[in-house]
Amino acid sequence: MLEDKRTKVKVAFFIILVGISAMFTAVVTDHWAVLSPRVEQVNATCEAAHFGLWRLCKKTIYIVEEDAKGKGCGPISLPGDRNCSYFKHFTPGQDAEVFEVKTQKEYNISAAAIAIFSLAFMILGTICILASFGKGRDYLLKPAGMFFAFAGLCTIISVEVMRQSVKRMIDSDETIWIEYYYSWSFACACSAFILLFLSGIALLVISMPQMPRNPWETCMDAEPEPIE
């Protein structure tokens, strides 16, 4: 691999490592979305929730502000007792007051499975890009770029599935939530999509054969055809 090309690959790989870190953080944390019910009365408690691909956390918050009545419970950063439980994708009856079990089971299983596919593509891409630094293995840059681009696409699909999941919960008459916002785990996943997808495309471009600077070079180097 030429030194100039090697430098470009190293820069792209550094950006990819940042994207992998962001995606791994998003997958293992549970701050994709924060949900709030309506506050019915002050000097009482309300229960907000935040969740990710694998776990739901509920937080009991004591409300004292007079103007909080009728608004959403929170913010989630207020002190309170927190209780977290894993979805187990899903045990019917558990967390039924938070999720519509039938629908949310499909959404969360889909989002989690797609995220795992993304991680698998990232592992394959990393193996290819590390192997490409060996002598005469430049051809591995192309599959590496494809794997990272696929990882980025899987990430954004997982993000969209989770977004639809939250929207369906808010719109449903069977849940108590009136407000929501996406939190830092969601932002990590979106950042991972941008970094992985663009870096994957960059690797594909780097792996392409270099075009001649002068378009006449190819013609001048060609052997003349014999005149009959």
Side-chain angles (χ1 to χ4, degrees):
M1 187 185 297
L2 297 175
E3 191 61 34
D4 182 53
K5 190 174 185 179
R6 182 184 292 269
T7 303
K8 292 178 181 177
V9 172
K10 286 181 178 179
V11 172
F13 188 44
F14 175 77
I15 297 172
I16 285 168
L17 290 177
V18 177
I20 291 174
S21 301
M23 186 56 189
F24 183 77
T25 302
V27 169
V28 301
T29 54
D30 46 37
H31 282 78
W32 283 63
V34 177
L35 308 172
S36 301
R38 186 186 303 276
V39 175
E40 301 295 342
Q41 57 182 352
V42 295
N43 296 323
T45 59
C46 63
E47 196 171 62
H50 61 86
F51 70 98
L53 296 174
W54 317 102
R55 194 169 71 158
L56 165 74
C57 291
K58 304 175 191 176
K59 193 171 187 179
T60 303
I61 301 172
Y62 187 72
I63 301 298
V64 294
E65 296 181 4
E66 294 293 336
D67 60 348
K69 190 173 181 180
K71 298 181 181 179
C73 177
I76 198 75
S77 57
L78 290 174
D81 296 329
R82 193 174 73 155
N83 181 29
C84 296
S85 59
Y86 287 91
F87 291 140
K88 299 178 183 177
H89 291 94
F90 273 88
T91 303
Q94 290 186 355
D95 300 320
E97 70 277 12
V98 178
F99 294 101
E100 299 169 84
V101 174
K102 286 184 179 178
T103 336
Q104 291 312 123
K105 180 178 180 179
E106 296 174 2
Y107 276 114
N108 277 70
I109 287 179
S110 300
I114 295 168
I116 290 174
F117 275 117
S118 177
L119 293 176
F121 281 131
M122 285 187 280
I123 292 171
L124 292 172
T126 301
I127 293 172
C128 287
I129 199 171
L130 290 176
S132 71
F133 287 111
K135 187 175 180 180
R137 295 180 179 175
D138 297 25
Y139 61 89
L140 289 173
L141 288 176
K142 189 172 290 183
M146 293 177 65
F147 282 135
F148 286 120
F150 289 152
L153 291 175
C154 287
T155 300
I156 198 62
I157 293 171
S158 182
V159 165
E160 179 59 22
V161 171
M162 288 293 283
R163 196 182 71 82
Q164 292 297 326
S165 170
V166 173
K167 187 176 182 299
R168 191 178 183 99
M169 278 191 288
I170 295 297
D171 294 341
S172 174
D173 295 331
E174 299 180 25
T175 56
I176 60 175
W177 315 112
I178 64 165
E179 290 183 1
Y180 73 97
Y181 63 88
Y182 300 109
S183 193
W184 55 269
S185 297
F186 187 88
C188 284
C190 293
S191 302
F193 157 68
I194 296 172
L195 296 174
L196 291 171
F197 184 76
L198 294 182
S199 298
I201 298 299
L203 284 177
L204 289 174
V205 173
I206 294 171
S207 67
M208 294 175 64
Q210 188 175 3
M211 298 294 290
R213 294 180 182 179
N214 187 343
W216 293 104
E217 287 179 6
T218 305
C219 298
M220 296 293 289
D221 294 340
E223 296 181 3
E225 294 183 1
I227 301 174
E228 296 181 357

